[in-house]
Amino acid sequence: MTRREFITLLGSAAAAWPLAGRAQQPAMPVVGFLKSLSPNNLAQLTRESFLQGLKEAGFVDGQNVTIEYRWAEGHYDRLPELAADLVHRQVAVIAATGGEPSPQVVKAATQTIPIVFMANGDPVAAGLVSSLNQPGGNATGVTIFGMMAVGKRRSCCAS
């Protein structure tokens, strides 16, 4: 799945958000963003790419969407508390980044809020989705199959 498809998926989730009554101004949708790392330089690039992708899909933080950031700062034991906080806020969708720990914790915290993840391994083996072509449930995302790709690169390029 390309970055553009990921953003389109996030935009599709935004279209499904319920609106307030007709007499009231619609509430601004809230996107939860959970990352297992701290907002350092590398994570800042992820955040900037995330915001740029949202902008390309027509969503601008503070204008027509609100983003709630949660950073575990490398303390994986904090992830359940941070995920529970986003669930308690009743965000419309949660972007879980930073490898498998973030989406796994979010998946354990909610079975109703859509989850869009970025992972390095096999999301089926990690229990995030039931299959790659039909994820099922409330989670979907992208993976680079990091460890499997390394093995294939070595075997294809060995002399």
Side-chain angles (χ1 to χ4, degrees):
M1 180 179 281
T2 65
R3 183 174 74 92
R4 193 168 303 278
E5 290 170 331
F6 169 73
I7 298 306
T8 300
L9 175 65
L10 192 57
S12 298
W17 292 325
L19 297 175
R22 290 184 180 188
Q24 299 176 352
Q25 178 93 3
M28 198 176 313
V30 179
V31 173
F33 181 93
L34 178 65
K35 188 159 182 85
S36 56
L37 303 175
S38 61
N40 60 20
N41 292 340
L42 181 59
Q44 185 67 18
L45 288 174
T46 301
R47 181 181 172 272
E48 289 173 9
S49 297
F50 178 71
L51 291 173
Q52 180 61 36
L54 284 175
K55 184 176 181 180
E56 289 172 9
F59 297 97
V60 178
D61 188 19
Q63 290 182 10
N64 59 358
V65 69
T66 299
I67 303 172
E68 288 286 332
Y69 294 97
R70 301 295 183 269
W71 305 90
E73 299 182 355
H75 300 281
Y76 295 112
D77 58 318
R78 294 188 58 219
L79 285 170
E81 172 191 345
L82 297 173
D85 183 45
L86 291 173
V87 170
H88 178 73
R89 288 245 320 114
Q90 298 179 343
V91 298
V93 62
I94 299 174
T97 67
E100 282 74 25
S102 295
Q104 287 173 329
V105 168
V106 173
K107 185 148 175 73
T110 181
Q111 295 175 1
T112 57
I113 298 173
I115 303 165
V116 181
F117 61 83
M118 293 188 329
N120 295 325
D122 182 352
V124 176
L128 297 172
V129 297
S130 57
S131 73
L132 293 178
N133 63 338
Q134 299 264 329
N138 63 322
T140 191
V142 293
T143 182
I144 59 169
F145 286 102
M147 297 307 285
M148 288 181 238
V150 169
K152 290 184 184 278
R153 277 194 302 254
R154 287 184 184 148
S155 65
C156 78
C157 303
S159 32

